[in-house]
Amino acid sequence: MNNKYLSKTTIRENYEAYAEYFAKILQNILSVLQEKISLSAQPTYKWRIKRFDSYYKKLLRKEAGKITTVNSLVCLTDMLGIRLICAFLEDINLAVAQIKDIFEIKEVEVKGDEKKVSEFGYESIHVLVKIPKDCLPEKDARFKDLLPLEGELVCEIQIRTILQDAWAEVEHELIYKTEFSPFDMPLRRKLAAINASLSLADITFQEIRDYQKKLQKELEERRQSFYSMADNLLDEKPKAKKTEEINRVSPFVQGTIDDLLLRAIQAHNAGNLEEAIEIYTKIIQAVPADQKQVISVIRKHRGMAYFSMNNFDAALEDFNVSIDNDPAAFRTHYYKGIVLAIQKKYREAIECFTTSLEINEFQAHTHFRRALSYYEVNEYENSMNDLDAAIKLGMKVDEVKFLQEKLVQKFGMNM
């Protein structure tokens, strides 16, 4: 019997001889993931080579018949592991889909999915991938004397959220590395409560993320509508096409400030300006005076609604209050400048655009608007400088061509 099986010491030596080889493979796979995985927020990564003691226990349990004098190293499916840790639940399926596009998939397993609600465990997805040839350091001379591998060497990629990963780490210490799991019901209930709290937190984070995306889409639509109206009032461009209608349902608790804000912006975008102003006003009345940041934001939005109704005096009043509460709100300075330019108060508009650019100089449209105002006060060189800056920062030439042509006439030169 003693001659039939390899000693644990020999198996350890064979396994540990592969440590550098395995590490190189994991580094190569990790580089591929970092280059090609794109999620809503940058994921973090952990990687590990299975510790020998864990490897040996599993070998004894599952592959005992292969612990012989055969001159090879037995491969297990979880010898190499990478953990992809993402911020939001939505990123999990997105990551799995991208991994499927990158690697040949051997198996996908949802861990924890089989557990009952009352049981411990937190879901994560394990994807078993075939290691691409270009991730194998076969040409490295350092590894030419290694024993051959028995079976297919694969890599397990685990995809979890930050909270799922935190639970897994703690659960591993409390349960799997101890002699027994808690038997007393009070302790089991506490663990179940923690598990449920983390699960709920993940869901809530995702709901907030969904809300932010919906709000951002509404804000962008409202902002483009504002710019389009400003262009039409200045007779600069043809009227922009109406943006695509979107689902206007709030995912947040009815009556909260977040919910009211989304409803107001949705009404604003739909052209229901009086309703939007009414909701903005309710929010302003409900917000304490010391919440300056919130007041600034809501006043800015209501000012844009007044602008859309051609009530420029009310718009300016809201923009001024917004700036008083948040002097660093560069967009509000910009919006105020647009209203002043429409009112042909070009010098005041230039001051607003300049203040906005002092706070954030990387604003193509603000440079462009200031260029237009400089033109109106016959400061053609300043207008030209701002126009060049707008183009360098990303404005398309066809958007500014009419001003270029006017400046050409003034300078009497070809551009």
Side-chain angles (χ1 to χ4, degrees):
M1 178 69 68
N2 291 335
N3 293 330
K4 180 179 179 182
Y5 295 102
L6 291 176
S7 68
K8 181 178 180 180
T9 300
T10 301
I11 295 174
R12 180 191 293 273
E13 290 172 354
N14 293 340
Y15 188 77
E16 293 180 348
Y18 263 93
E20 193 174 356
Y21 179 84
F22 290 155
K24 185 63 177 176
I25 291 174
L26 288 172
Q27 289 167 9
N28 291 340
I29 295 175
L30 185 59
S31 295
V32 173
L33 291 171
Q34 290 173 329
E35 178 185 352
K36 296 186 177 182
I37 295 294
S38 177
L39 306 178
S40 63
Q42 184 66 32
T44 57
Y45 296 90
K46 299 178 183 178
W47 62 272
R48 64 104 181 101
I49 301 168
K50 196 174 187 67
R51 292 183 300 107
F52 173 74
D53 288 342
S54 298
Y55 169 81
Y56 188 69
K57 288 179 181 177
K58 194 167 184 178
L59 198 65
L60 289 176
R61 187 170 68 251
K62 292 191 173 183
E63 306 285 351
K66 295 184 178 180
I67 307 178
T68 66
T69 54
V70 174
N71 202 23
S72 63
L73 182 71
V74 177
C75 291
L76 301 179
T77 57
D78 61 347
M79 287 164 57
L80 307 183
I82 292 177
R83 189 172 299 169
L84 187 159
I85 304 167
C86 49
F88 302 102
L89 289 171
E90 66 178 352
D91 289 326
I92 292 179
N93 289 335
L94 184 58
V96 172
Q98 292 180 18
I99 289 170
K100 288 180 178 179
D101 289 337
I102 298 169
F103 300 101
E104 179 181 332
I105 306 301
K106 309 297 290 185
E107 180 181 321
V108 177
E109 182 180 6
V110 180
K111 293 285 188 179
D113 193 41
E114 75 286 350
K115 292 183 180 292
K116 299 177 182 177
V117 174
S118 60
E119 292 180 326
F120 308 133
Y122 201 2
E123 181 178 309
S124 69
I125 295 181
H126 294 195
V127 183
L128 210 60
V129 304
K130 181 177 181 179
I131 299 173
K133 287 185 178 180
D134 54 3
C135 288
L136 296 171
E138 302 293 0
K139 296 181 180 179
D140 195 319
R142 292 174 297 171
F143 309 128
K144 63 182 180 66
D145 295 328
L146 292 175
L147 291 175
L149 295 172
E150 182 177 342
E152 183 179 17
L153 184 63
V154 293
C155 179
E156 182 182 75
I157 302 176
Q158 301 176 359
I159 303 99
R160 295 173 178 164
T161 65
I162 295 169
L163 294 182
Q164 287 174 345
D165 187 58
W167 169 263
E169 294 286 0
V170 175
E171 184 188 42
H172 186 70
E173 293 293 327
L174 289 178
I175 298 176
Y176 292 106
K177 291 180 70 173
T178 59
E179 290 294 325
F180 57 85
S181 299
F183 289 111
D184 292 337
M185 284 306 295
L187 286 178
R188 294 181 65 84
R189 286 181 182 135
K190 287 179 181 179
L191 283 174
I194 294 171
N195 189 354
S197 296
L198 289 173
S199 298
L200 179 60
D202 253 340
I203 293 169
T204 303
F205 286 154
Q206 185 60 56
E207 288 178 346
I208 294 172
R209 188 65 162 184
D210 292 341
Y211 168 81
Q212 288 176 329
K213 288 182 177 180
K214 183 180 286 289
L215 180 59
Q216 189 59 41
K217 190 170 184 179
E218 294 282 359
L219 288 173
E220 184 58 31
E221 182 176 342
R222 191 260 306 131
R223 190 176 295 130
Q224 292 303 320
S225 175
F226 181 92
Y227 296 157
S228 176
M229 182 177 176
D231 288 341
N232 292 328
L233 288 170
L234 291 170
D235 292 324
E236 293 168 9
K237 297 180 187 176
K239 190 172 182 179
K241 295 180 180 178
K242 180 172 174 56
T243 53
E244 180 184 354
E245 186 73 10
I246 65 173
N247 179 24
R248 302 185 183 281
V249 178
S250 170
F252 262 43
V253 179
Q254 295 294 313
T256 63
I257 289 177
D258 288 317
D259 174 70
L260 288 172
L261 177 57
L262 184 56
R263 284 169 52 200
I265 295 173
Q266 288 174 339
H268 190 159
N269 290 343
N272 302 323
L273 298 175
E274 292 183 358
E275 178 187 352
I277 289 172
E278 182 181 350
I279 300 173
Y280 288 137
T281 302
K282 285 182 179 179
I283 299 173
I284 292 168
Q285 293 171 345
V287 174
D290 61 347
Q291 299 293 313
K292 293 183 177 295
Q293 191 74 32
V294 178
I295 293 172
S296 177
V297 170
I298 305 306
R299 284 279 194 163
K300 176 183 68 177
H301 291 320
R302 194 176 71 172
M304 296 175 78
Y306 278 130
F307 175 87
S308 297
M309 297 178 72
N310 293 332
N311 190 342
F312 300 134
D313 290 337
L316 283 176
E317 181 183 351
D318 268 342
F319 290 151
N320 284 329
V321 174
S322 176
I323 290 169
D324 288 343
N325 281 273
D326 183 9
F330 63 90
R331 284 199 177 95
T332 311
H333 289 284
Y334 171 56
Y335 298 151
K336 179 182 174 181
I338 289 177
V339 176
L340 291 168
I342 289 172
Q343 294 180 325
K344 301 189 184 304
K345 299 176 182 179
Y346 298 114
R347 289 292 180 187
E348 295 177 55
I350 289 169
E351 291 180 9
C352 291
F353 294 139
T354 299
T355 301
S356 182
L357 288 167
E358 286 173 350
I359 300 169
N360 179 3
E361 63 182 308
F362 302 104
Q363 299 181 76
H365 284 84
T366 307
H367 278 287
F368 176 63
R369 296 287 179 181
R370 192 170 67 172
L372 290 170
S373 293
Y374 274 133
Y375 179 87
E376 295 295 340
V377 297
N378 303 322
E379 294 188 20
Y380 304 124
E381 186 173 349
N382 285 334
S383 180
M384 179 68 73
N385 291 337
D386 265 333
L387 186 60
D388 289 341
I391 294 172
K392 288 178 180 177
L393 287 171
M395 283 202 72
K396 297 178 181 178
V397 175
D398 59 351
E399 293 181 294
V400 303
K401 186 177 181 181
F402 72 95
L403 181 57
Q404 284 183 320
E405 292 174 348
K406 288 182 178 181
L407 288 169
V408 166
Q409 292 176 2
K410 294 296 181 180
F411 282 104
M413 56 182 284
N414 291 324
M415 297 179 64

